[in-house]
Amino acid sequence: MMAIQTSSDKELRNIIFQRERVIVKFIDEDCLICKALAPSFKTFSEDPTYKEVTFLQMEASENPVSSKEVKLTGTPFFAIYFRGTLRDCALLSSEAEVKKFLDRLVACKE
């Protein structure tokens, strides 16, 4: 069971190569949807279903390199990585959409 880790441009590169499955949530402190999704993101991070997933959170404005890499278009913006490769990214606004993203990440095989 892993807590949500706060990450940065510098750390993200290392983490996505160290961990097989990573989900990153890009947030903005003024983003109401980010705040609304925070409890469910925390719940997912504690769910045994997603024990293989590393949960990261990044402040979008403070991490321009990663934001640019995922072509960030707003917040909360989610990116999933499998074995160091960006698999998908999108602007998500509901718990159901985040769950679908997580399930897709868990299903990654090669």
Side-chain angles (χ1 to χ4, degrees):
M1 187 155 66
M2 299 227 357
I4 300 165
Q5 299 170 274
T6 301
S7 190
S8 66
D9 276 346
K10 208 172 100 187
E11 298 164 332
L12 182 63
R13 292 257 63 84
N14 294 334
I15 295 169
I16 64 171
F17 288 107
Q18 287 168 0
R19 310 287 178 148
E20 193 170 62
R21 293 176 171 81
V22 178
I23 185 167
V24 184
K25 177 185 175 194
F26 290 90
I27 59 161
D28 187 286
E29 62 182 44
D30 300 325
C31 167
L32 296 175
I33 300 171
C34 298
K35 290 184 177 79
L37 283 178
S40 54
F41 196 61
K42 183 180 188 313
T43 301
F44 287 137
S45 75
E46 295 166 350
D47 185 329
T49 310
Y50 306 113
K51 67 181 183 299
E52 304 299 317
V53 177
T54 300
F55 286 76
L56 301 179
Q57 182 165 293
M58 296 174 73
E59 187 66 50
S61 59
E62 291 170 19
N63 296 287
V65 176
S66 304
S67 297
K68 189 167 190 266
E69 180 189 337
V70 298
K71 298 175 178 55
L72 185 97
T73 53
T75 52
F77 197 84
F78 291 81
I80 50 176
Y81 293 86
F82 179 67
R83 294 189 178 155
T85 306
L86 178 64
R87 282 300 172 100
D88 204 354
C89 50
L91 199 53
L92 305 178
S93 57
S94 74
E95 186 175 331
E97 290 175 323
V98 176
K99 184 179 188 317
K100 205 181 293 179
F101 239 52
L102 276 165
D103 290 341
R104 193 179 308 159
L105 178 57
V106 170
C108 282
K109 293 286 181 260
E110 282 306 319

